């Protein structure tokens, strides 16, 4: 039986992309036919989203062999499959010569070893593992960060859903791959603290342009730690750090903001919670040239009752981008204060220019 017209049209309209849902696993022959038809109808498939309730043991061999035939496949999104099924599909894809992007939105029982005939995933550049707490995740990533790896973008976990459980171990592993350009990590380990010692391994990844970290355990970072981070990762474009929760207020100050902005010339977005109650005196920062690319800044919630113009004067000196704004997701008085800072930015930008002249 051939595919429905809708499935065929979807493939034709998207020029090489298709979404396929695996049939229920109660009929092994039907599932085997499903994979066979997929290869016959889409021999030049480049983007595949594959979801369903399970392949079944009887059909795993057919699924694996079918996937191997999609030699032009470049991007795969796997979701809602039994972990045995995903293992089989990964084994099938591990030798694909064109695969560059892999998203795993499912629990994965990663293979303990890969076929020795070739380097697994020879062209893989982008990996997103949404549920990285499985014990096999580290083995899988160790394979990806081998010396032959082309990996540039790595995302582990997702807010409110999947988390890595060994933050320190994962940082050491990631730090072995110095060619990484983007790193997103969500961790949940109450007994493990995130501090500059934890972050030290990834300082070897000098070409990182995106660093987004979320940690539910204790976070201990100081202004000096931020300087160490920024001085090593000078190519950062997007930086998000978790809130320091070991003190009543963040130990980071506005000096940390100035440090990152001055050391990372390509920075566009910065999300970092600081204690903003003490504004740096104008005479200490009035001469600093504004950043050319910074578009969005989030300083967290620690904003005191000082004059709005004082804060706006400092913020205006951080960026020369016309639509630069403070981002906030707050209520009540704090929301009003940050909104007032944003409103005062144009006037304070003009005042800074006049002061510098």
């Amino acid at each position: 039986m051939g595919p429905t017209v809708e499935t065929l049209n979807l493939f034709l309209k998207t020029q090489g992309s298709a979404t396929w849902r695996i049939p229920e696993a109660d009929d092994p022959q039907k599932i085997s036919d499903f994979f066979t038809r997929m290869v016959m109808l889409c021999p030049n498939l480049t983007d595949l989203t594959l979801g369903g309730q399970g392949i079944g043991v009887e059909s795993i061999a057919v699924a694996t062999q079918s996937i191997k035939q999609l030699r032009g496949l470049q991007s795969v999104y796997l979701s809602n499959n039994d972990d045995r099924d995903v293992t089989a599909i990964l084994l099938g894809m591990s030798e694909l010569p064109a695969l560059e992007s892999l998203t795993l939105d499912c629990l994965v029982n990663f293979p303990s070893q890969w076929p020795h005939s070739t380097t697994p995933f020879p062209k893989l550049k982008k990996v997103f593992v949404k549920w990285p707490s499985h014990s096999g995740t580290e083995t899988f990533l160790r394979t990806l960060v081998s010396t032959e790896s082309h990996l540039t973008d790595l995302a582990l976990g997702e807010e409110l859903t999947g988390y890595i459980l060994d933050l320190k171990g994962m940082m050491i592993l990631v730090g072995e791959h110095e060619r990484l350009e983007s790193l997103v990590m969500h961790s949940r380990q109450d007994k493990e603290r995130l501090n500059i010692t934890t972050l030290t391994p990834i300082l070897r990844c000098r070409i990182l342009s995106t660093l987004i970290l979320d940690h539910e355990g204790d976070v201990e970072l100081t202004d000096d730690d931020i300087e160490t981070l920024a001085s090593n990762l000078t190519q950062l474009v997007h930086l998000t750090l978790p809130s320091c929760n070991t003190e009543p207020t963040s130990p980071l100050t506005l000096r940390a903001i100035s440090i990152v902005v001055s050391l990372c010339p390509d920075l566009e977005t910065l999300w970092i919670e600081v204690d903003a109650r003490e504004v740096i005196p104008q005479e200490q920062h009035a001469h600093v040239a504004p950043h050319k690319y910074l578009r969005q800044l989030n300083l967290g919630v620690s904003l005191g009752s000082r004059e709005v113009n004082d804060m706006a004067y400092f913020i205006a000196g951080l960026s020369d981008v016309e639509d630069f704004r403070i981002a906030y997701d707050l209520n009540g008085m704090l929301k009003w204060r940050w909104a007032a800072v944003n409103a005062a930015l144009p006037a304070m930008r003009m005042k800074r220019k006049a002061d510098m002249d």
Side-chain angles (χ1 to χ4, degrees):
M1 183 178 65
T4 64
V5 174
E6 290 77 16
T7 301
L8 184 59
N9 284 344
L10 177 61
F11 164 65
L12 293 175
K13 287 179 180 178
T14 52
Q15 298 179 343
S17 300
T19 299
W20 300 81
R21 179 162 291 278
I22 301 173
E24 295 294 335
D26 56 355
D27 189 342
Q29 185 59 49
K30 182 185 295 185
I31 296 174
S32 297
D33 292 344
F34 167 84
F35 280 96
T36 302
R37 289 200 311 272
M38 182 177 71
V39 175
M40 291 177 58
L41 288 168
C42 311
N44 299 316
L45 193 66
T46 58
D47 301 88
L48 175 65
T49 298
L50 195 60
Q53 299 305 311
I55 299 173
V57 176
E58 299 87 346
S59 305
I60 284 180
V62 175
T64 302
Q65 291 303 317
S66 298
I67 293 292
K68 284 183 177 180
Q69 297 180 52
L70 298 174
R71 306 293 288 175
L73 203 58
Q74 298 175 13
S75 175
V76 174
Y77 187 112
L78 298 178
S79 65
N80 301 327
N81 288 284
D82 184 273
D83 58 1
R84 296 172 302 171
D85 307 340
V86 177
T87 302
I89 294 172
L90 284 176
L91 285 170
M93 293 189 304
S94 64
E95 299 178 20
L96 293 177
L99 188 64
E100 295 184 352
S101 177
L102 175 63
T103 298
L104 301 175
D105 186 7
C106 46
L107 294 174
V108 183
N109 183 16
F110 292 103
S112 58
Q113 61 182 7
W114 302 88
H116 297 289
S117 58
T118 182
T119 301
F121 305 102
K123 298 296 182 181
L124 196 59
K125 296 180 179 179
K126 299 180 180 181
V127 175
F128 182 9
V129 183
K130 287 193 176 184
W131 303 86
S133 59
H134 198 284
S135 59
T137 304
E138 184 176 346
T139 302
F140 175 61
L141 294 179
R142 190 168 297 281
T143 300
L144 296 182
V145 299
S146 64
T147 55
E148 299 86 0
S149 175
H150 290 77
L151 187 67
T152 60
D153 295 55
L154 177 61
L156 300 174
E158 190 174 46
E159 189 175 4
L160 303 179
T161 54
Y163 295 86
I164 61 174
L165 297 180
D166 181 10
L167 177 63
K168 184 177 180 180
M170 199 61 71
M171 286 290 184
I172 294 174
L173 176 60
V174 171
E176 297 177 5
H177 187 58
E178 299 178 11
R179 287 171 288 182
L180 203 63
E181 298 176 12
S182 175
L183 177 62
V184 179
M185 298 178 68
H186 295 268
S187 68
R188 179 168 58 187
Q189 179 53 269
D190 295 339
K191 297 180 180 179
E192 195 167 11
R193 291 186 176 183
L194 189 150
N195 51 33
I196 193 60
T197 302
T198 312
L199 295 175
T200 295
I202 66 170
L203 300 184
R204 299 168 58 188
C205 305
R206 297 300 183 93
I207 61 174
L208 266 182
S209 61
T210 297
L211 178 59
I212 298 175
L213 300 177
D214 175 42
H215 181 58
E216 286 203 349
D218 289 341
V219 178
E220 295 180 345
L221 293 172
T222 66
D223 289 352
D224 290 340
D225 295 336
I226 298 300
E227 184 171 8
T228 299
L229 181 73
S231 61
N232 283 276
L233 305 179
T234 58
Q235 297 190 36
L236 284 173
V237 177
H238 307 286
L239 175 61
T240 297
L241 294 176
S243 301
C244 297
N245 56 5
T246 55
E247 302 291 341
T249 59
S250 173
L252 299 178
T253 70
L254 290 174
R255 175 175 170 266
I257 305 297
S258 297
I259 289 171
V260 177
V261 171
S262 63
L263 293 176
C264 302
D266 298 320
L267 195 69
E268 293 184 8
T269 62
L270 176 60
W271 289 60
I272 178 173
E273 182 171 335
V274 302
D275 186 349
R277 293 175 298 175
E278 292 297 327
V279 180
I280 299 176
Q282 292 187 12
E283 60 271 14
Q284 293 185 20
H285 62 81
H287 64 285
V288 177
H291 202 281
K292 294 183 178 180
Y293 303 109
L294 187 63
R295 296 184 177 278
Q296 193 174 82
L297 177 67
N298 189 320
L299 299 181
V301 300
S302 301
L303 178 64
S305 58
R306 294 180 61 91
E307 289 293 328
V308 166
N309 285 346
D310 289 343
M311 179 62 69
Y313 187 89
F314 169 77
I315 299 297
L318 296 178
S319 176
D320 205 23
V321 177
E322 199 63 34
D323 60 350
F324 170 71
R325 289 291 182 272
I326 298 291
Y328 53 85
D329 185 18
L330 306 168
N331 296 310
M333 184 61 70
L334 286 172
K335 180 178 181 179
W336 176 87
R337 288 174 183 165
W338 283 120
V341 170
N342 275 337
L345 283 179
M348 291 299 103
R349 186 175 288 115
M350 293 180 62
K351 185 177 186 304
R352 285 189 67 96
K353 289 181 179 179
D355 292 345
M356 293 184 69
D357 293 340

